């Protein structure tokens, strides 16, 4: 009987040790200033994927880069056609450029969320350029965007 109890304890410890890396990026300490300078509410890890996307859209619509950054995990990656962008500092720089070009959130043409994956499509027509077929996909876990893919065709329409 004692040997069975030891095996159970060993298995419990093994499960914790194996699962620890999966929870290490849980972002539960996000009430602190993060590496990109954003300060996020500590309750963000409880958000559903739909809540994350709605928060992101509201923050972008308000032109609030800090609040938009609170939708990303600490070790998020954004995959662009030109290659991946890793981490909050690089993502903030890329989003900052997008905010300068577009001024916030482009109008959505569709939004679909299945499980922890969201697909948004959009079009944008601005001064000198247009994005007629934008699409972003998000993988959201533990209340944060872990991975985002971006597709858009930028068409220059004038000087």
């Amino acid at each position: 009987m004692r040997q069975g109890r030891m095996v159970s304890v060993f298995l419990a410890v093994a499960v914790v040790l194996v699962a620890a890396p999966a929870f290490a990026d849980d972002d539960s300490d996000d009430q602190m200033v993060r590496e990109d300078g954003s300060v996020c509410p500590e309750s963000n890890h409880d958000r559903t994927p739909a809540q994350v996307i709605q928060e992101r859209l509201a923050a972008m619509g308000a032109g609030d880069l800090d609040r938009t950054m609170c939708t990303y995990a600490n070790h998020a990656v954004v995959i662009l056609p030109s290659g991946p962008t890793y981490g909050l500092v690089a993502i903030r720089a890329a989003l900052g450029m997008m905010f300068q070009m577009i001024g916030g959130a482009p109008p959505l043409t569709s939004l679909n969320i299945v499980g922890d994956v969201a697909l948004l499509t959009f079009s944008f027509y601005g001064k000198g350029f247009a994005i007629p077929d934008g699409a972003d996909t998000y993988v959201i876990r533990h209340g944060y965007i872990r991975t985002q893919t971006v597709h858009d065709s930028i068409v220059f329409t004038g000087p």
Side-chain angles (χ1 to χ4, degrees):
M1 189 69 110
R2 186 175 181 116
Q3 186 178 9
R5 189 173 289 180
M6 290 295 288
V7 169
S8 296
V9 169
F10 174 77
L11 288 174
V13 170
V15 166
V16 168
L17 291 175
V18 169
F23 295 108
D25 191 29
D26 193 21
D27 293 303
S28 58
D29 64 341
D30 61 357
Q31 71 274 12
M32 296 186 291
V33 176
R34 298 183 335 158
E35 70 180 31
D36 70 319
S38 58
V39 179
C40 304
E42 79 179 275
S43 62
N44 281 353
H45 63 278
D46 294 328
R47 297 178 295 186
T48 66
Q51 289 170 326
V52 172
I53 293 300
Q54 292 306 318
E55 173 64 21
R56 177 182 177 75
L57 293 172
M60 289 182 70
D64 189 337
L65 183 57
D66 286 336
R67 204 167 106 209
T68 302
M69 290 305 301
C70 289
T71 62
Y72 286 98
N74 285 328
H75 302 288
V77 60
V78 176
I79 304 169
L80 303 158
S82 60
T85 300
Y86 296 99
L88 297 178
V89 172
I91 292 169
R92 175 182 279 278
L95 271 177
M97 289 180 2
M98 190 205 74
F99 271 40
Q100 287 178 347
M101 289 176 59
I102 296 177
L108 294 184
T109 54
S110 73
L111 169 59
N112 291 288
I113 301 172
V114 177
D116 60 0
V117 178
L119 170 65
L120 292 102
T121 60
F122 60 91
S123 296
F124 178 81
Y125 299 91
K127 185 177 180 179
F129 74 98
I131 303 172
D133 66 343
D136 291 352
T137 303
Y138 303 88
V139 176
I140 303 163
R141 293 197 179 110
H142 303 292
Y144 293 91
I145 297 166
R146 303 300 171 149
T147 305
Q148 175 184 357
T149 65
V150 177
H151 162 78
D152 51 24
S153 297
I154 300 175
V155 179
F156 295 97
T157 57

